[in-house]
Amino acid sequence: MKNSLNYLLDDIKKVESVFVEGDCCLIDESYKLTTYLRKVLEDTKDKIFEEGFEDESEEINFFKNIKPQILGKLIFYNKVFRIETSCPVYNGKMYEAYFINELEELKQDFNEHIRNSDFYRYYRSGRNDKDNEYYTLGKINYHNGLSSIVFEIDSSFSTYYDYKVAKIIANELLYHYLLSKTDTDHTINQTLQNSESVKDLFWTDSKNSLIELIYALHASGAISHGKVSIRKINLAFFVLFKIHLGDIHHAFHRMKERTGSRTAFIDQLKLSLEDYMNKNL
């Protein structure tokens, strides 16, 4: 079973890339990945019950490195789905306040339940001297005052600490996702805002024009050989121009239904550049 477990995470990454690089909106994307990852976890559980582990090292590797990645992403995408389906209208103060509040709740949860725990320090330090205790079945010590979630897990498919690692992974993914939704002072944004060379840069055309440009850059492979997601390109323009574009996937699908030219902004760019070239002959 060792080989199939080793390839499991690679298969998940491939499936993720199909959705993330595609044109489906974030709600559809997170729902489909939640459904997919839940099925992967169920199938893996059945496979382990049927075949078992070859040795203790394989068991530790599974509960330390493999299952937490699957479960962590499952928790993450499910949370994204819940956040996106509950958020107010795009743009405006309510929209920004909603995601800022979600980010603050995430920080509070980290401070109260994760940051000061002995296990978190063990995990972050990369230690392995207690792996046998934390990542093998049947070692749950209730004298340690564990979270009540321990009574809800399947003890035949969880060591409890694999769930703890999954929660850490999910929180890290959520943190970066929420940063992309809020105008917070993380390193890149702060650097650009304080830079004399970019402080006077503003997007002065319509939001739809910028969305059209983002999709054109993605489709042409002009950025990172086309291997970077539309969401990341959107984030880059957000950081540069400090402009919220809302649900760009829905906006793009509306563009495809335009009467006349569906690439109005790109067409105008071509004409403007040709006129500029002619003036400088």
Side-chain angles (χ1 to χ4, degrees), residues 20-281:
V20 173
E21 303 290 343
D23 290 335
C24 62
C25 70
L26 193 53
I27 290 175
D28 291 340
E29 174 190 314
S30 56
Y31 174 77
K32 290 175 181 177
L33 284 168
T34 297
T35 304
Y36 165 73
L37 289 167
R38 181 181 178 183
K39 183 68 165 57
V40 168
L41 203 59
E42 290 175 350
D43 290 346
T44 305
K45 178 180 178 179
D46 292 340
K47 189 176 184 66
I48 287 175
F49 282 175
E50 180 181 341
E51 300 182 18
F53 296 107
E54 291 184 9
D55 50 37
E56 186 178 88
S57 64
E58 184 182 53
E59 181 179 357
I60 289 174
N61 181 55
F62 177 74
F63 288 113
K64 181 179 182 178
N65 300 310
I66 298 177
K67 185 189 172 189
Q69 287 289 338
I70 304 171
L71 182 57
K73 289 182 177 181
L74 174 57
I75 295 171
F76 165 67
Y77 284 116
N78 182 59
K79 181 66 174 178
V80 169
F81 178 78
R82 291 171 58 191
I83 290 174
E84 289 289 334
T85 52
S86 301
C87 78
V89 292
Y90 290 103
N91 302 319
K93 292 183 179 180
M94 284 182 62
Y95 179 86
E96 292 182 11
Y98 174 77
F99 284 102
I100 289 172
N101 182 64
E102 289 289 337
L103 184 59
E104 289 304 313
E105 288 185 4
L106 181 67
K107 292 178 180 178
Q108 182 177 346
D109 179 70
F110 172 77
N111 289 330
E112 291 181 359
H113 303 293
I114 297 178
R115 186 182 67 176
N116 295 320
S117 69
D118 291 336
F119 176 74
Y120 182 69
R121 287 189 287 271
Y122 176 88
Y123 169 79
R124 292 292 294 169
S125 66
R127 290 165 52 190
N128 57 23
D129 52 290
K130 291 187 176 181
D131 281 3
N132 175 270
E133 174 186 343
Y134 289 141
Y135 304 118
T136 57
L137 295 170
K139 301 289 182 65
I140 298 176
N141 186 352
Y142 296 95
H143 288 99
N144 288 337
L146 307 177
S147 167
S148 59
I149 192 69
V150 71
F151 302 113
E152 300 177 31
I153 63 173
D154 182 351
S155 59
S156 64
F157 188 60
S158 177
T159 70
Y160 172 71
Y161 290 97
D162 61 274
Y163 169 79
K164 300 279 281 186
V165 176
K167 192 70 187 302
I168 292 169
I169 291 171
N171 279 12
E172 290 177 350
L173 292 170
L174 279 168
Y175 179 71
H176 291 292
Y177 154 72
L178 291 171
L179 277 182
S180 72
K181 292 287 190 175
T182 56
D183 190 9
T184 55
D185 294 334
H186 61 95
T187 305
I188 299 176
N189 196 13
Q190 188 67 23
T191 300
L192 287 173
Q193 286 181 345
N194 292 336
S195 173
E196 290 295 320
S197 62
V198 298
K199 70 176 184 179
D200 58 346
L201 291 181
F202 301 97
W203 183 259
T204 53
D205 211 303
S206 69
K207 290 184 177 181
N208 276 346
S209 294
L210 183 54
I211 292 171
E212 188 178 320
L213 177 61
I214 288 172
Y215 271 88
L217 291 170
H218 174 73
S220 66
I223 298 179
S224 300
H225 304 291
K227 295 181 180 179
V228 66
S229 69
I230 289 170
R231 189 186 307 157
K232 288 184 178 179
I233 299 174
N234 178 27
L235 176 58
F237 278 105
F238 162 70
V239 171
L240 182 60
F241 296 124
K242 297 173 283 293
I243 180 173
H244 287 286
L245 294 177
D247 191 338
I248 67 172
H249 296 295
H250 282 170
F252 177 70
H253 284 293
R254 287 194 297 270
M255 289 178 191
K256 294 196 293 185
E257 299 172 357
R258 285 172 174 171
T259 57
S261 175
R262 297 188 297 175
T263 56
F265 179 65
I266 302 299
D267 295 344
Q268 184 57 51
L269 279 182
K270 181 177 182 294
L271 292 175
S272 298
L273 181 57
E274 288 178 343
D275 287 345
Y276 185 80
M277 288 176 172
N278 292 332
K279 290 177 183 178
N280 288 274
L281 288 177

